[in-house]
């Protein structure tokens, strides 16, 4: 059985403490990762950590800028990035809508009618898991770059960045993945 106390003790030691919202976000992502191989779960947590600027709360693309800025500058508006990862483009929102409805989180069409539902933690976590497992973002899947069991190497975690965004910040996110991998092992992730 997974021991969250041991898991969080390791994360707190290596990430210099955690706020209540960070813990809640990590728990939401962990719930979405159930059944995932160790390296996949570690990298999903690391990706959410990075993409949310360590808040572990779903964010909007360019969250520091206004909605008016997004409308003027993002060619895929209103289908701009939202969530633990930046789900973008109408086609991906359609796919996420279908998956969230299939999971019983919404009724079919609700996400398309209200793209901000991708900010809801449970939906954002589903998008993170499904998107990374199925290659929604770049065509690269978790299974293409990481092992299906055991730990990942530094190179594998660096290559995992191609699942989301080319090689952007690959080294930094690899560091986060190593922390989460250690914490998952300490917690007994199976």
């Amino acid at each position: 059985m997974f021991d969250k106390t041991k898991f969080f003790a390791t994360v707190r030691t290596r990430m210099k403490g955690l706020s209540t919202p960070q813990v809640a976000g990590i728990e939401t992502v962990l719930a979405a990762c159930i059944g995932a191989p160790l390296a996949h779960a570690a990298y999903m947590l690391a990706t959410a950590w990075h993409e949310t600027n360590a808040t572990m709360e779903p964010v909007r693309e360019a969250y520091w800028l206004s909605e008016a800025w997004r409308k003027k500058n993002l060619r895929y508006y209103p289908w701009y990035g939202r969530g633990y990862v930046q789900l973008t483009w109408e086609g991906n929102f359609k796919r996420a809508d279908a998956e969230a409805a299939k999971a019983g989180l919404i009724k079919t069409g609700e996400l398309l009618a209200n793209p901000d539902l991708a900010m809801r933690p449970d939906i954002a976590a589903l998008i993170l898991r499904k998107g990374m497992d199925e290659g929604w973002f770049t065509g690269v899947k978790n299974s293409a770059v990481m092992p299906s069991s055991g730990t990942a190497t530094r190179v594998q975690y660096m290559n995992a960045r191609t699942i989301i965004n080319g090689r952007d910040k690959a080294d930094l996110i690899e560091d986060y993945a190593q922390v989460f991998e250690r914490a998952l092992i300490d917690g007994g992730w199976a």
Side-chain angles (χ1 to χ4, degrees):
M1 188 156 141
F2 186 66
D3 188 333
K4 284 185 185 177
T5 301
K6 290 180 180 176
F7 167 83
F8 279 112
T10 300
V11 174
R12 282 186 176 94
T13 299
R14 297 183 181 214
M15 298 294 204
K16 297 181 174 62
L18 293 173
S19 68
T20 300
Q22 286 173 311
V23 170
I26 289 170
E27 287 184 338
T28 300
V29 173
L30 278 172
C33 290
I34 291 172
L38 172 67
H40 298 207
Y43 202 76
M44 285 185 265
L45 285 160
T47 295
W49 184 267
H50 175 74
E51 294 289 332
T52 67
N53 196 23
T55 66
M56 292 306 287
E57 296 179 292
V59 297
R60 294 177 195 286
E61 184 173 358
Y63 58 87
W64 58 93
L65 297 169
S66 70
E67 190 72 10
W69 182 92
R70 284 188 280 278
K71 187 172 186 174
K72 180 180 178 186
N73 292 284
L74 299 176
R75 69 185 188 276
Y76 40 84
Y77 187 91
W79 312 108
Y80 62 81
R82 295 171 177 89
Y84 290 120
V85 290
Q86 300 304 295
L87 182 71
T88 55
W89 298 100
E90 185 176 11
N92 280 329
F93 274 86
K94 285 180 180 177
R95 187 181 307 182
D97 182 86
E99 291 295 335
K102 190 163 94 177
L105 301 177
I106 60 170
K107 293 178 183 163
T108 301
E110 281 188 292
L111 182 60
L112 295 173
N114 181 8
D116 282 343
L117 283 174
M119 298 285 290
R120 212 172 83 189
D122 58 341
I123 294 172
L126 174 82
I127 290 166
L128 170 78
R129 172 75 188 264
K130 289 292 216 170
M132 291 181 76
D133 280 353
E134 298 175 6
W136 292 4
F137 311 114
T138 64
V140 179
K141 302 174 184 181
N142 279 330
S143 60
V145 292
M146 290 186 291
S148 60
S149 65
T151 60
T153 66
R154 174 174 165 68
V155 170
Q156 287 170 320
Y157 279 139
M158 296 277 288
N159 290 338
R161 185 61 179 155
T162 61
I163 298 165
I164 303 295
N165 192 7
R167 301 285 294 174
D168 175 60
K169 308 283 187 193
D171 186 52
L172 177 63
I173 302 163
E174 180 271 337
D175 291 342
Y176 301 147
Q178 294 288 351
V179 169
F180 283 114
E181 181 183 89
R182 177 79 259 152
L184 288 164
I185 289 169
D186 290 351
W189 190 263

